[in-house]
Amino acid sequence: MALAETVRPDRRAWPFDRLGVLIALLAIGGALTPFAAFRANRIVPGMAVSLFATLPVWEVAIVCVVLLGAAVIAIVRVEPRLKLLVGLAALVTLAFAIGDVASALTPEGDKISRTSPGTGFWLLGLAFALMVSDAVARLKLRPWSRIGLLAGVVIVVGAILYFGVWDDLSVLREYANRADSFWREAATHVALVLGSLVAATVIGIPLGIVCHRVPKVRAAILNTLNGVQTIPSIALFGLLIAPLAWVAANIPGAAAVGIAGIGVAPAMLALFLYSLLPVVANTVAGLDGVAPDVIEAARGMGMTRGERLRQAELPLALPVILTGIRIVLVQNIGLATVAALIGGGGFGVFVFQGVAQTAMDLVLLGAVPTVALAFAAGTILDAVVEMVSPGRTIR
């Protein structure tokens, strides 16, 4: 045994961070590939552009020093706080660099050319985003610290947009041409997500309580909801068209309140059906997880069954229930993009228009806000779940 221990290699002797090596390799790949793509208009093929061929020498030097330094810090074993700061600095540098490249490539007064981020930009962004996320995970930041970090990112991105750093990027040019419709579809997207979430919460939590209290119906309800989850989203949207069209045509007042075979109604109903299983299942799991001693203590205090539920069981099950709501929220932000296929609106309008027109920038106009919304919602609700979890110290 002693000999085996002396022969066995000490993992701590490895001088490099394993994830940092991957980050550095991604950064090297990004440095060796085109940083941007320029097109005279949105139809013609793009021309690959290098970072070094567009920016002044002094700016290229600054960008290279920051990115090279960040790659080195990623590899070595240092404090996660330092990695977080350096990774954020690298991402901010990339954000300004791509904006300056777009400005340098766009002729004065030109309104039809398109400059989009290239493979190099995306690889570098992925590398340093991994660096930041790894540092955040290792730091084990408290809920308010994570929310504060998210707010800081939103402020920086907002400032970049406000001061026009990205105005010459193709996705912002697509936005400029569709600003009114963008915010209209954004409002529709949020309404679909929140409306289906509220409906699923209002109905799903009581349904979960029933499943917890009446074991005979638990299997039937959960199996039915599991069956709904197995239906592909596009298929479910399509299946709802015929019955809702019949309701609109045959039930007085249905069409007046917005029920129709296509549009918001089937989209909202489909998202609601997809939302029920996580809410119901997590409600059941949360209530099942309440310690029997707690229930006995509440019963000994003279609480009625309803009082035990409201004052003991539901508060203790709340973190698990909120986890289900978080799953629903993030899931529905993504699924709502499919609603555009049946006239439901949302960011999917731009995604599918872009696919039909082979316009990647238009696809990004719908995809980037969707991803950003999902990321922000997940971060905030993760923090809220931790805040309400018993035994947590919130800072």
Side-chain angles (χ1 to χ4, degrees), residues 212-259:
H212 171 70
R213 291 286 177 86
V214 188
K216 292 181 179 180
V217 303
R218 177 187 299 196
I221 292 175
L222 292 180
N223 288 338
T224 300
L225 296 179
N226 268 313
V228 173
Q229 287 282 337
T230 63
I231 303 174
S233 56
I234 296 178
L236 184 58
F237 283 125
L239 288 172
L240 292 173
I241 291 176
L244 288 179
W246 182 90
V247 170
N250 294 278
I251 296 180
V257 298
I259 296 177

mmCIF file of all heavy atoms in Angstrom, residues 212-259:
data_model
loop_
_atom_site.group_PDB
_atom_site.id
_atom_site.type_symbol
_atom_site.label_atom_id
_atom_site.label_comp_id
_atom_site.label_asym_id
_atom_site.label_seq_id
_atom_site.Cartn_x
_atom_site.Cartn_y
_atom_site.Cartn_z
ATOM 1 N N HIS A 212 -50.556 14.664 -4.200
ATOM 2 C CA HIS A 212 -49.886 14.311 -2.945
ATOM 3 C C HIS A 212 -50.870 13.730 -1.933
ATOM 4 O O HIS A 212 -50.555 12.746 -1.245
ATOM 5 C CB HIS A 212 -49.221 15.550 -2.365
ATOM 6 C CG HIS A 212 -48.685 15.361 -0.974
ATOM 7 N ND1 HIS A 212 -47.596 14.569 -0.692
ATOM 8 C CD2 HIS A 212 -49.107 15.860 0.220
ATOM 9 C CE1 HIS A 212 -47.357 14.585 0.609
ATOM 10 N NE2 HIS A 212 -48.258 15.362 1.184
ATOM 11 N N ARG A 213 -52.052 14.312 -1.869
ATOM 12 C CA ARG A 213 -53.033 13.891 -0.866
ATOM 13 C C ARG A 213 -53.812 12.649 -1.292
ATOM 14 O O ARG A 213 -54.279 11.881 -0.443
ATOM 15 C CB ARG A 213 -54.007 15.045 -0.612
ATOM 16 C CG ARG A 213 -53.391 16.246 0.109
ATOM 17 C CD ARG A 213 -53.168 15.932 1.577
ATOM 18 N NE ARG A 213 -52.521 17.006 2.296
ATOM 19 C CZ ARG A 213 -53.157 18.037 2.848
ATOM 20 N NH1 ARG A 213 -54.468 18.143 2.714
ATOM 21 N NH2 ARG A 213 -52.493 18.963 3.510
ATOM 22 N N VAL A 214 -53.988 12.447 -2.588
ATOM 23 C CA VAL A 214 -54.802 11.320 -3.087
ATOM 24 C C VAL A 214 -53.919 10.445 -3.985
ATOM 25 O O VAL A 214 -53.868 10.644 -5.206
ATOM 26 C CB VAL A 214 -56.036 11.823 -3.868
ATOM 27 C CG1 VAL A 214 -56.958 10.664 -4.200
ATOM 28 C CG2 VAL A 214 -56.772 12.912 -3.104
ATOM 29 N N PRO A 215 -53.205 9.491 -3.410
ATOM 30 C CA PRO A 215 -52.283 8.666 -4.202
ATOM 31 C C PRO A 215 -52.955 7.930 -5.352
ATOM 32 O O PRO A 215 -52.294 7.627 -6.362
ATOM 33 C CB PRO A 215 -51.728 7.674 -3.170
ATOM 34 C CG PRO A 215 -51.907 8.359 -1.848
ATOM 35 C CD PRO A 215 -53.163 9.166 -1.974
ATOM 36 N N LYS A 216 -54.248 7.640 -5.258
ATOM 37 C CA LYS A 216 -54.929 6.888 -6.312
ATOM 38 C C LYS A 216 -54.958 7.641 -7.644
ATOM 39 O O LYS A 216 -55.003 7.016 -8.707
ATOM 40 C CB LYS A 216 -56.355 6.551 -5.879
ATOM 41 C CG LYS A 216 -56.422 5.543 -4.715
ATOM 42 C CD LYS A 216 -57.860 5.230 -4.354
ATOM 43 C CE LYS A 216 -57.937 4.218 -3.218
ATOM 44 N NZ LYS A 216 -59.339 3.894 -2.846
ATOM 45 N N VAL A 217 -54.971 8.987 -7.586
ATOM 46 C CA VAL A 217 -55.042 9.745 -8.837
ATOM 47 C C VAL A 217 -53.664 10.222 -9.293
ATOM 48 O O VAL A 217 -53.522 10.749 -10.393
ATOM 49 C CB VAL A 217 -55.981 10.961 -8.690
ATOM 50 C CG1 VAL A 217 -57.362 10.519 -8.269
ATOM 51 C CG2 VAL A 217 -55.419 11.987 -7.722
ATOM 52 N N ARG A 218 -52.650 10.036 -8.445
ATOM 53 C CA ARG A 218 -51.320 10.559 -8.778
ATOM 54 C C ARG A 218 -50.796 9.954 -10.075
ATOM 55 O O ARG A 218 -50.355 10.695 -10.974
ATOM 56 C CB ARG A 218 -50.339 10.282 -7.643
ATOM 57 C CG ARG A 218 -48.923 10.740 -7.960
ATOM 58 C CD ARG A 218 -47.911 10.317 -6.906
ATOM 59 N NE ARG A 218 -48.211 10.870 -5.609
ATOM 60 C CZ ARG A 218 -47.336 10.905 -4.597
ATOM 61 N NH1 ARG A 218 -46.123 10.401 -4.774
ATOM 62 N NH2 ARG A 218 -47.676 11.407 -3.436
ATOM 63 N N ALA A 219 -50.822 8.649 -10.186
ATOM 64 C CA ALA A 219 -50.257 8.003 -11.369
ATOM 65 C C ALA A 219 -50.987 8.423 -12.637
ATOM 66 O O ALA A 219 -50.358 8.697 -13.669
ATOM 67 C CB ALA A 219 -50.299 6.489 -11.197
ATOM 68 N N ALA A 220 -52.317 8.504 -12.569
ATOM 69 C CA ALA A 220 -53.091 8.868 -13.758
ATOM 70 C C ALA A 220 -52.748 10.278 -14.227
ATOM 71 O O ALA A 220 -52.537 10.524 -15.426
ATOM 72 C CB ALA A 220 -54.585 8.743 -13.464
ATOM 73 N N ILE A 221 -52.683 11.218 -13.281
ATOM 74 C CA ILE A 221 -52.404 12.612 -13.655
ATOM 75 C C ILE A 221 -50.982 12.762 -14.183
ATOM 76 O O ILE A 221 -50.749 13.369 -15.240
ATOM 77 C CB ILE A 221 -52.651 13.538 -12.452
ATOM 78 C CG1 ILE A 221 -54.140 13.584 -12.109
ATOM 79 C CG2 ILE A 221 -52.131 14.944 -12.742
ATOM 80 C CD1 ILE A 221 -54.472 14.368 -10.858
ATOM 81 N N LEU A 222 -50.014 12.221 -13.468
ATOM 82 C CA LEU A 222 -48.620 12.382 -13.887
ATOM 83 C C LEU A 222 -48.334 11.657 -15.200
ATOM 84 O O LEU A 222 -47.577 12.165 -16.041
ATOM 85 C CB LEU A 222 -47.682 11.878 -12.789
ATOM 86 C CG LEU A 222 -47.660 12.714 -11.496
ATOM 87 C CD1 LEU A 222 -46.698 12.115 -10.480
ATOM 88 C CD2 LEU A 222 -47.270 14.164 -11.798
ATOM 89 N N ASN A 223 -48.940 10.498 -15.403
ATOM 90 C CA ASN A 223 -48.740 9.793 -16.675
ATOM 91 C C ASN A 223 -49.345 10.561 -17.840
ATOM 92 O O ASN A 223 -48.779 10.592 -18.946
ATOM 93 C CB ASN A 223 -49.338 8.385 -16.604
ATOM 94 C CG ASN A 223 -48.515 7.456 -15.733
ATOM 95 O OD1 ASN A 223 -47.333 7.700 -15.509
ATOM 96 N ND2 ASN A 223 -49.141 6.401 -15.237
ATOM 97 N N THR A 224 -50.506 11.175 -17.604
ATOM 98 C CA THR A 224 -51.120 11.990 -18.661
ATOM 99 C C THR A 224 -50.235 13.176 -19.018
ATOM 100 O O THR A 224 -50.005 13.472 -20.213
ATOM 101 C CB THR A 224 -52.498 12.492 -18.207
ATOM 102 O OG1 THR A 224 -53.342 11.375 -17.912
ATOM 103 C CG2 THR A 224 -53.151 13.336 -19.292
ATOM 104 N N LEU A 225 -49.719 13.853 -18.008
ATOM 105 C CA LEU A 225 -48.847 15.009 -18.264
ATOM 106 C C LEU A 225 -47.532 14.575 -18.894
ATOM 107 O O LEU A 225 -46.970 15.293 -19.728
ATOM 108 C CB LEU A 225 -48.589 15.763 -16.958
ATOM 109 C CG LEU A 225 -49.829 16.396 -16.307
ATOM 110 C CD1 LEU A 225 -49.465 17.104 -15.013
ATOM 111 C CD2 LEU A 225 -50.492 17.381 -17.274
ATOM 112 N N ASN A 226 -47.037 13.399 -18.509
ATOM 113 C CA ASN A 226 -45.838 12.864 -19.171
ATOM 114 C C ASN A 226 -46.103 12.605 -20.645
ATOM 115 O O ASN A 226 -45.228 12.833 -21.496
ATOM 116 C CB ASN A 226 -45.404 11.555 -18.489
ATOM 117 C CG ASN A 226 -44.390 11.794 -17.392
ATOM 118 O OD1 ASN A 226 -43.423 12.518 -17.585
ATOM 119 N ND2 ASN A 226 -44.617 11.198 -16.238
ATOM 120 N N GLY A 227 -47.302 12.125 -20.944
ATOM 121 C CA GLY A 227 -47.666 11.893 -22.336
ATOM 122 C C GLY A 227 -47.664 13.176 -23.150
ATOM 123 O O GLY A 227 -47.218 13.197 -24.306
ATOM 124 N N VAL A 228 -48.147 14.258 -22.559
ATOM 125 C CA VAL A 228 -48.130 15.551 -23.255
ATOM 126 C C VAL A 228 -46.694 15.979 -23.551
ATOM 127 O O VAL A 228 -46.388 16.499 -24.632
ATOM 128 C CB VAL A 228 -48.851 16.625 -22.405
ATOM 129 C CG1 VAL A 228 -48.683 18.007 -23.031
ATOM 130 C CG2 VAL A 228 -50.323 16.285 -22.273
ATOM 131 N N GLN A 229 -45.789 15.746 -22.595
ATOM 132 C CA GLN A 229 -44.397 16.149 -22.777
ATOM 133 C C GLN A 229 -43.716 15.407 -23.922
ATOM 134 O O GLN A 229 -42.754 15.909 -24.508
ATOM 135 C CB GLN A 229 -43.613 15.905 -21.484
ATOM 136 C CG GLN A 229 -43.929 16.887 -20.365
ATOM 137 C CD GLN A 229 -43.246 18.220 -20.570
ATOM 138 O OE1 GLN A 229 -42.248 18.324 -21.265
ATOM 139 N NE2 GLN A 229 -43.788 19.265 -19.958
ATOM 140 N N THR A 230 -44.194 14.216 -24.242
ATOM 141 C CA THR A 230 -43.558 13.441 -25.315
ATOM 142 C C THR A 230 -43.949 13.931 -26.711
ATOM 143 O O THR A 230 -43.311 13.559 -27.689
ATOM 144 C CB THR A 230 -43.930 11.949 -25.199
ATOM 145 O OG1 THR A 230 -45.350 11.793 -25.361
ATOM 146 C CG2 THR A 230 -43.504 11.379 -23.855
ATOM 147 N N ILE A 231 -44.984 14.760 -26.804
ATOM 148 C CA ILE A 231 -45.413 15.274 -28.118
ATOM 149 C C ILE A 231 -44.466 16.396 -28.530
ATOM 150 O O ILE A 231 -44.270 17.355 -27.770
ATOM 151 C CB ILE A 231 -46.855 15.800 -28.051
ATOM 152 C CG1 ILE A 231 -47.811 14.700 -27.571
ATOM 153 C CG2 ILE A 231 -47.294 16.318 -29.421
ATOM 154 C CD1 ILE A 231 -49.227 15.185 -27.338
ATOM 155 N N PRO A 232 -43.866 16.339 -29.707
ATOM 156 C CA PRO A 232 -43.001 17.441 -30.159
ATOM 157 C C PRO A 232 -43.770 18.763 -30.192
ATOM 158 O O PRO A 232 -44.988 18.788 -30.452
ATOM 159 C CB PRO A 232 -42.581 17.004 -31.568
ATOM 160 C CG PRO A 232 -42.759 15.521 -31.576
ATOM 161 C CD PRO A 232 -43.921 15.241 -30.674
ATOM 162 N N SER A 233 -43.062 19.845 -29.919
ATOM 163 C CA SER A 233 -43.731 21.144 -29.791
ATOM 164 C C SER A 233 -44.474 21.543 -31.064
ATOM 165 O O SER A 233 -45.618 22.005 -31.003
ATOM 166 C CB SER A 233 -42.705 22.216 -29.424
ATOM 167 O OG SER A 233 -41.656 22.261 -30.382
ATOM 168 N N ILE A 234 -43.834 21.362 -32.219
ATOM 169 C CA ILE A 234 -44.498 21.740 -33.471
ATOM 170 C C ILE A 234 -45.763 20.915 -33.670
ATOM 171 O O ILE A 234 -46.807 21.427 -34.103
ATOM 172 C CB ILE A 234 -43.532 21.568 -34.658
ATOM 173 C CG1 ILE A 234 -42.343 22.519 -34.508
ATOM 174 C CG2 ILE A 234 -44.244 21.819 -35.970
ATOM 175 C CD1 ILE A 234 -41.314 22.386 -35.608
ATOM 176 N N ALA A 235 -45.686 19.629 -33.335
ATOM 177 C CA ALA A 235 -46.858 18.762 -33.495
ATOM 178 C C ALA A 235 -47.992 19.188 -32.571
ATOM 179 O O ALA A 235 -49.159 19.205 -32.969
ATOM 180 C CB ALA A 235 -46.468 17.306 -33.219
ATOM 181 N N LEU A 236 -47.648 19.563 -31.337
ATOM 182 C CA LEU A 236 -48.694 19.980 -30.395
ATOM 183 C C LEU A 236 -49.352 21.274 -30.848
ATOM 184 O O LEU A 236 -50.580 21.416 -30.780
ATOM 185 C CB LEU A 236 -48.104 20.145 -28.997
ATOM 186 C CG LEU A 236 -49.104 20.487 -27.887
ATOM 187 C CD1 LEU A 236 -50.197 19.431 -27.790
ATOM 188 C CD2 LEU A 236 -48.394 20.630 -26.542
ATOM 189 N N PHE A 237 -48.538 22.220 -31.318
ATOM 190 C CA PHE A 237 -49.116 23.459 -31.856
ATOM 191 C C PHE A 237 -50.084 23.132 -32.988
ATOM 192 O O PHE A 237 -51.169 23.701 -33.080
ATOM 193 C CB PHE A 237 -48.007 24.384 -32.371
ATOM 194 C CG PHE A 237 -47.262 25.116 -31.284
ATOM 195 C CD1 PHE A 237 -45.888 25.029 -31.193
ATOM 196 C CD2 PHE A 237 -47.933 25.886 -30.358
ATOM 197 C CE1 PHE A 237 -45.198 25.700 -30.208
ATOM 198 C CE2 PHE A 237 -47.262 26.559 -29.362
ATOM 199 C CZ PHE A 237 -45.880 26.468 -29.287
ATOM 200 N N GLY A 238 -49.686 22.204 -33.870
ATOM 201 C CA GLY A 238 -50.545 21.843 -34.995
ATOM 202 C C GLY A 238 -51.809 21.126 -34.563
ATOM 203 O O GLY A 238 -52.887 21.370 -35.117
ATOM 204 N N LEU A 239 -51.692 20.232 -33.562
ATOM 205 C CA LEU A 239 -52.856 19.478 -33.104
ATOM 206 C C LEU A 239 -53.937 20.378 -32.505
ATOM 207 O O LEU A 239 -55.124 20.039 -32.528
ATOM 208 C CB LEU A 239 -52.421 18.442 -32.065
ATOM 209 C CG LEU A 239 -51.639 17.233 -32.591
ATOM 210 C CD1 LEU A 239 -51.116 16.399 -31.435
ATOM 211 C CD2 LEU A 239 -52.519 16.394 -33.511
ATOM 212 N N LEU A 240 -53.533 21.526 -31.964
ATOM 213 C CA LEU A 240 -54.497 22.410 -31.316
ATOM 214 C C LEU A 240 -55.238 23.306 -32.303
ATOM 215 O O LEU A 240 -56.224 23.954 -31.926
ATOM 216 C CB LEU A 240 -53.782 23.276 -30.272
ATOM 217 C CG LEU A 240 -53.234 22.519 -29.051
ATOM 218 C CD1 LEU A 240 -52.406 23.456 -28.179
ATOM 219 C CD2 LEU A 240 -54.373 21.911 -28.239
ATOM 220 N N ILE A 241 -54.772 23.374 -33.546
ATOM 221 C CA ILE A 241 -55.398 24.289 -34.511
ATOM 222 C C ILE A 241 -56.853 23.901 -34.766
ATOM 223 O O ILE A 241 -57.764 24.747 -34.678
ATOM 224 C CB ILE A 241 -54.584 24.302 -35.828
ATOM 225 C CG1 ILE A 241 -53.229 24.964 -35.601
ATOM 226 C CG2 ILE A 241 -55.368 25.033 -36.919
ATOM 227 C CD1 ILE A 241 -52.323 24.945 -36.826
ATOM 228 N N ALA A 242 -57.106 22.623 -35.067
ATOM 229 C CA ALA A 242 -58.465 22.196 -35.436
ATOM 230 C C ALA A 242 -59.465 22.352 -34.290
ATOM 231 O O ALA A 242 -60.534 22.958 -34.472
ATOM 232 C CB ALA A 242 -58.435 20.758 -35.934
ATOM 233 N N PRO A 243 -59.187 21.860 -33.075
ATOM 234 C CA PRO A 243 -60.181 22.009 -32.007
ATOM 235 C C PRO A 243 -60.448 23.461 -31.638
ATOM 236 O O PRO A 243 -61.598 23.840 -31.371
ATOM 237 C CB PRO A 243 -59.583 21.231 -30.833
ATOM 238 C CG PRO A 243 -58.159 21.030 -31.165
ATOM 239 C CD PRO A 243 -58.057 21.008 -32.639
ATOM 240 N N LEU A 244 -59.406 24.299 -31.629
ATOM 241 C CA LEU A 244 -59.629 25.709 -31.283
ATOM 242 C C LEU A 244 -60.375 26.434 -32.393
ATOM 243 O O LEU A 244 -61.172 27.347 -32.122
ATOM 244 C CB LEU A 244 -58.293 26.392 -30.989
ATOM 245 C CG LEU A 244 -57.632 25.987 -29.670
ATOM 246 C CD1 LEU A 244 -56.310 26.701 -29.490
ATOM 247 C CD2 LEU A 244 -58.547 26.291 -28.481
ATOM 248 N N ALA A 245 -60.137 26.059 -33.637
ATOM 249 C CA ALA A 245 -60.908 26.655 -34.740
ATOM 250 C C ALA A 245 -62.381 26.280 -34.607
ATOM 251 O O ALA A 245 -63.273 27.110 -34.857
ATOM 252 C CB ALA A 245 -60.350 26.187 -36.074
ATOM 253 N N TRP A 246 -62.666 25.027 -34.198
ATOM 254 C CA TRP A 246 -64.054 24.607 -33.999
ATOM 255 C C TRP A 246 -64.690 25.387 -32.854
ATOM 256 O O TRP A 246 -65.849 25.822 -32.956
ATOM 257 C CB TRP A 246 -64.090 23.110 -33.692
ATOM 258 C CG TRP A 246 -65.481 22.582 -33.529
ATOM 259 C CD1 TRP A 246 -66.298 22.072 -34.492
ATOM 260 C CD2 TRP A 246 -66.235 22.537 -32.303
ATOM 261 N NE1 TRP A 246 -67.511 21.709 -33.974
ATOM 262 C CE2 TRP A 246 -67.506 21.979 -32.622
ATOM 263 C CE3 TRP A 246 -65.968 22.908 -30.991
ATOM 264 C CZ2 TRP A 246 -68.495 21.801 -31.657
ATOM 265 C CZ3 TRP A 246 -66.950 22.729 -30.027
ATOM 266 C CH2 TRP A 246 -68.200 22.172 -30.353
ATOM 267 N N VAL A 247 -63.947 25.580 -31.773
ATOM 268 C CA VAL A 247 -64.467 26.347 -30.637
ATOM 269 C C VAL A 247 -64.795 27.774 -31.065
ATOM 270 O O VAL A 247 -65.860 28.328 -30.743
ATOM 271 C CB VAL A 247 -63.449 26.354 -29.482
ATOM 272 C CG1 VAL A 247 -63.863 27.355 -28.400
ATOM 273 C CG2 VAL A 247 -63.320 24.958 -28.880
ATOM 274 N N ALA A 248 -63.883 28.383 -31.827
ATOM 275 C CA ALA A 248 -64.116 29.757 -32.276
ATOM 276 C C ALA A 248 -65.331 29.868 -33.169
ATOM 277 O O ALA A 248 -66.061 30.875 -33.139
ATOM 278 C CB ALA A 248 -62.872 30.272 -33.001
ATOM 279 N N ALA A 249 -65.575 28.829 -33.975
ATOM 280 C CA ALA A 249 -66.683 28.886 -34.930
ATOM 281 C C ALA A 249 -68.020 28.517 -34.310
ATOM 282 O O ALA A 249 -69.073 28.967 -34.790
ATOM 283 C CB ALA A 249 -66.388 27.964 -36.115
ATOM 284 N N ASN A 250 -68.031 27.734 -33.249
ATOM 285 C CA ASN A 250 -69.291 27.184 -32.748
ATOM 286 C C ASN A 250 -69.703 27.670 -31.357
ATOM 287 O O ASN A 250 -70.859 27.477 -30.981
ATOM 288 C CB ASN A 250 -69.212 25.650 -32.729
ATOM 289 C CG ASN A 250 -69.102 25.055 -34.118
ATOM 290 O OD1 ASN A 250 -70.095 24.881 -34.809
ATOM 291 N ND2 ASN A 250 -67.873 24.759 -34.528
ATOM 292 N N ILE A 251 -68.807 28.247 -30.621
ATOM 293 C CA ILE A 251 -69.160 28.712 -29.274
ATOM 294 C C ILE A 251 -69.259 30.231 -29.291
ATOM 295 O O ILE A 251 -68.282 30.921 -29.617
ATOM 296 C CB ILE A 251 -68.117 28.243 -28.242
ATOM 297 C CG1 ILE A 251 -68.123 26.714 -28.167
ATOM 298 C CG2 ILE A 251 -68.396 28.839 -26.870
ATOM 299 C CD1 ILE A 251 -67.141 26.134 -27.177
ATOM 300 N N PRO A 252 -70.434 30.775 -28.974
ATOM 301 C CA PRO A 252 -70.608 32.238 -29.015
ATOM 302 C C PRO A 252 -69.628 32.940 -28.072
ATOM 303 O O PRO A 252 -69.436 32.523 -26.925
ATOM 304 C CB PRO A 252 -72.058 32.429 -28.553
ATOM 305 C CG PRO A 252 -72.728 31.123 -28.823
ATOM 306 C CD PRO A 252 -71.673 30.064 -28.614
ATOM 307 N N GLY A 253 -69.020 33.993 -28.569
ATOM 308 C CA GLY A 253 -68.119 34.798 -27.762
ATOM 309 C C GLY A 253 -66.692 34.313 -27.737
ATOM 310 O O GLY A 253 -65.801 35.039 -27.288
ATOM 311 N N ALA A 254 -66.431 33.080 -28.211
ATOM 312 C CA ALA A 254 -65.072 32.547 -28.170
ATOM 313 C C ALA A 254 -64.132 33.352 -29.072
ATOM 314 O O ALA A 254 -63.022 33.718 -28.666
ATOM 315 C CB ALA A 254 -65.059 31.078 -28.577
ATOM 316 N N ALA A 255 -64.598 33.631 -30.279
ATOM 317 C CA ALA A 255 -63.751 34.397 -31.199
ATOM 318 C C ALA A 255 -63.529 35.814 -30.695
ATOM 319 O O ALA A 255 -62.458 36.403 -30.906
ATOM 320 C CB ALA A 255 -64.379 34.425 -32.590
ATOM 321 N N ALA A 256 -64.523 36.352 -30.006
ATOM 322 C CA ALA A 256 -64.406 37.730 -29.515
ATOM 323 C C ALA A 256 -63.311 37.886 -28.465
ATOM 324 O O ALA A 256 -62.722 38.956 -28.333
ATOM 325 C CB ALA A 256 -65.741 38.199 -28.946
ATOM 326 N N VAL A 257 -63.040 36.822 -27.716
ATOM 327 C CA VAL A 257 -61.996 36.900 -26.683
ATOM 328 C C VAL A 257 -60.645 36.416 -27.205
ATOM 329 O O VAL A 257 -59.698 36.262 -26.422
ATOM 330 C CB VAL A 257 -62.399 36.095 -25.434
ATOM 331 C CG1 VAL A 257 -63.654 36.657 -24.817
ATOM 332 C CG2 VAL A 257 -62.578 34.608 -25.766
ATOM 333 N N GLY A 258 -60.524 36.184 -28.512
ATOM 334 C CA GLY A 258 -59.236 35.861 -29.101
ATOM 335 C C GLY A 258 -58.973 34.409 -29.388
ATOM 336 O O GLY A 258 -57.877 34.051 -29.840
ATOM 337 N N ILE A 259 -59.940 33.531 -29.123
ATOM 338 C CA ILE A 259 -59.737 32.111 -29.410
ATOM 339 C C ILE A 259 -59.865 31.882 -30.904
ATOM 340 O O ILE A 259 -60.843 32.298 -31.527
ATOM 341 C CB ILE A 259 -60.755 31.246 -28.640
ATOM 342 C CG1 ILE A 259 -60.530 31.399 -27.136
ATOM 343 C CG2 ILE A 259 -60.645 29.789 -29.047
ATOM 344 C CD1 ILE A 259 -61.522 30.659 -26.289
#
